[in-house]
Amino acid sequence: MAESAVAAATDPFHTAELRRRVLAAWADAPARFREDANAEEDFALGGYRDRVVVELAQNAADAALRSGRPGRLFLELSEDRLTAANTGSPITSDGVESLSTLRASTKRDDHGSAGRFGVGFSAVAALSDDVTVASSTGAVRFSGESAGSAVADLLAADDTHEELALEVERRSGHVPMLRLPFPAEDTGVPEGYETAVTLVLRDEDSAQRVRELLDRTGEALLLALDGLAEIRVRVDGTEHVLTRDEGGPADLTTTNRDAHGERTTPWRLLSRSGRLSPEMLSGRPAEERERTAWRITWAVPVDAEGRVAPMPSDVEPVVHAPTPTDTALDLPAVLIGTFPLSTDRRGVQPGAVTDFLLMEAANAYCALLRRLDARSALDLVPEAKVAGGAVDGVFRTRVAEPLQDTPFLVTEAGMPVAPRDAVLLDAGGGAEGAAEKLVELIPQVLPGAWNPRHPALAALKVRRLGLAELADLLSDTDRSPSWWADLYATLSTADTTDLGALPVPLVDGRLVRGPRSLLMPTGDWRPTDSEALGVRVVHPEAAHALLLRLGAVEATAATVLADPRTEAAVRDSLDAEDPDPVAEAVLALVSASGSSTDDLPWLSELALHDDEDGYSVAGELLVPGAPLADLLAADAPFATVHQDLVDRHGTDVLRAVGVLWEFPLVRADEVALGEDITDDFDGDGIEDWADDVLERVGDPDLPPVVPELLCVADLDCVAEDRWPQALTMLAEGPLREAVTAPTRVLLPDGRVRDVPSYTAWWLRSRARLSGRAPVELRAGDAESALTGLYDEAPATVDREFARALGVRTTVADLLADPGGPDDLLTRLADPERHVGRNTLHSLWTAMAEVDPDAVSPPARVRAVREGTIVVADAEDTVVLDSPDLMPLLDGPMVIAPAALAGRLADVLDLDLASEVVTGRVGSAGRIRPVPDEAELFLDLADRTYLHHQSLTVDGTQLDWYVGDDAVHASGTDGLARALCWRAGAWSRRHLLAAALRDPSASARLLAEADLD
């Protein structure tokens, strides 16, 4: 008995018996040796190779839980040794047996423990071949060297264990040391701790790996291991301390303190627990089926105000069960749960239990979000991921639907609301104030200060209320104008693209959709007369600059006047029951704005009170004492504006709205010169003017366009005897331009032509100068060819103005004027008009250049008969086209340059002389050579001619004749004429005749000709 007591003292954990049983088992069944060696190697070098710190911490946490007191863990790396000291229950024989027995943990019935597989301690074998576990109850050592010696002794004592020897030999003598514990002397437990595990590290690589693991040891361990309150880590003399505190405003606070300072992380926790049904555990291993309790905990870092804070960098985004696994869960929160794990404790195992726990985790996650600040809770909403682990994907699927119905969001009013019911005002920079304004109308609206682009809001499918939809929603909202002004102010920084239909209150009490074209009061202007005009004016208390950005117009006098509704009111004023309110409003606006009919031509349609106690439009009224009144015919349709309006508004304002003082100017833009020209401008004879213009520009296929048509109106009302005074008025000021400035016409092919203005065209035939139309007169300095045909215009009309009126100045202008050629022919046919021979020649020459289509064939023409100028019937007259035919004609002839005879005949629609003369030569001639002298004067067309003693053609004796394409002559003068006509040198006929009569004088005659 005394021997037993000694043995117990030196081997308190009965390691000898443990070794005996293991060695006996290996000896009896060498396969057991192989199995244990493989298992230890697999755990140490495989699944547990980097888990030594986690496994030692887990053992420390279990020891603390068994003692019922918060645990502390001390981890120290000093040179080649790693020491892990912890408080809590000391090591026991069962504990030693658990350390040395793979897959048979003594914690099977300890449901609160973290370790439960019996393999975690094998992680030390990855780093060390010499491990000592010391406690107040004793110490035990695991040594590769000692384990190898024990096996060697076994083989030496009995040579029948050949198979075991072969297995040991295959492993070069290496045996699974963790299966063979040895008693050890107490190596010393650090003061304040109950148990210490000491690893003599295998090499420098092992020391470096431990150093890295200790550096990464962070707050996640304290979250996962409830039993630990402190972890102190010391590496080569440098220390950092992790602590856990369950007091204070947060559910849990962890602190990481090192030489650089202290980091404190408050955590918000939410846990759920219960028991698993036997059916759910039916597919799990036997020992695991006995552990029916389950627990889920979510941990989220928060700041001092309770908002979600960034995750500490040393917390990995993985599932913790309870220590970190390799199963990814990429969330800004830590999930700790009793998930079923693979044997290496690295991966969560799929199955019914995992599915159940993930569903519970999803429900708990929703509950956790309700405990957090609503805005920061958005940061915890899982986003959709295309790629990810199986557990991560399943959790996101499980949590998506319950999150929709969890009221973890809050409204602008601070009330909880579920995402499915929430409304997000997507109004850009104006959302914050707008949400506050709209909370009465939309109780479920989220705070406007929230970022509408937060990805969580999209993931939650929160209904977005855009600005366009908001405008629709507000269309029937009854609120005060000031309420609307406040709303506009909140939306003033928003994108205005979708606010086109934003409701706006008007001064007349209406609420209209859309600010575009509304009139917004600014400055001192007040919409006192808006009701009479029907304009839409924003209520002054609702006025805001946003409305201007959205298309409203500042309500100045000019903009109110230019409003389409003002125009409509003016156009309808004559038919109104009481035109005075509209007239007063418009006259006041005209006075304030300085506008006139030059800017707004429709102002002339304003109905005004006239002197006959009726109403007339402004354009048909005269200002009392207007100069125009003295020019009008007695039946002119004009009344006089009532004197009361003159007294109250003044002559200038009345003239601005079109009340007549002088002739009114009328403008029209983009007038097409087509059949429907009267749709754009309806003036006396406007269609005839358009036809005249089309004739001038060549009558194109498409109608030309007049960009700006400026006309003087009411000229048809001038009294016949008042035209001198009327023309004096037209020749001055703005009216003059309407007469003298040409009208620009844009042709379809892009060309531009200038033509006489409509007013000038009208005046030239209707106005009166000395009792006659301007086109019936000539200017005092007109071309002499016009002197006998036209009477001179009065000198009182200046040249430019007279020319614009159509007073004749040049033959070219006369013939270019539509109707001008006909007028000239008419005057030439007047026997009372004196026309000299030279003048007539020049006029026929000019007339030959006229387009025949522009001339009406004359009934009578100015011609020559027997050398005398006469007026003859056109049907008896021919155009002389060859001088040798003149003796053969006994009727009147039109004589012009021979080269133009054919064209002139076409213009006048007359026959050529050569077309009516028979031209039969009745005498016989002899062929003679053309005298050599002729070659000195001409480029001869003929070298011979027919000499006649007496030349007769059609029974008439002639000196020469070339009508049959031969040269006939009866004398020297006749031959000279024939040769010169044939050579195209008619002017040399007299010179050549003289040379033929006296050939010796040829040289002198040539010298004289050189003087021409």
Side-chain angles (χ1 to χ4, degrees), residues 10 102 387:
T10 57
L102 291 176

Side-chain angles (χ1 to χ4, degrees), residues 689 692-693 696 709 738-745 754-761 764 803-804 817-818:
W689 173 77
D692 183 275
V693 173
R696 286 177 180 272
L709 182 59
V739 178
T740 59
T743 294
R744 180 146 293 182
V745 179
D754 287 340
V755 299
S757 69
Y758 162 76
T759 303
W761 172 88
R764 62 177 47 198
R803 182 168 183 170
D817 192 12

Side-chain angles (χ1 to χ4, degrees), residues 631 662-663 722-733 735-736 769 796-798 801 805:
L631 306 181
E662 58 184 4
F663 291 112
R722 303 302 292 171
W723 271 112
Q725 295 81 358
L727 292 175
T728 299
M729 179 182 290
L730 291 170
E732 298 175 352
L735 297 176
R736 180 184 180 92
L769 286 172
T796 54
V797 181
D798 66 81
F801 193 71
L805 292 176

Side-chain angles (χ1 to χ4, degrees), residues 53 56 73-86 188-191 193 196-201 207 210-211 214 217 231-240:
V53 172
L56 292 175
L73 172 64
F74 174 56
L75 297 168
E76 181 179 29
L77 174 63
S78 179
E79 296 181 354
D80 65 343
R81 292 178 181 269
L82 170 64
T83 300
N86 60 269
V189 178
E191 185 177 354
Y193 296 90
V197 179
T198 303
L199 282 69
V200 179
L201 300 176
V210 170
R211 185 174 288 105
L214 292 176
T217 299
I231 301 176
R232 186 178 298 272
V233 181
R234 183 181 298 163
V235 179
D236 300 332
T238 301
E239 185 173 275
H240 74 272

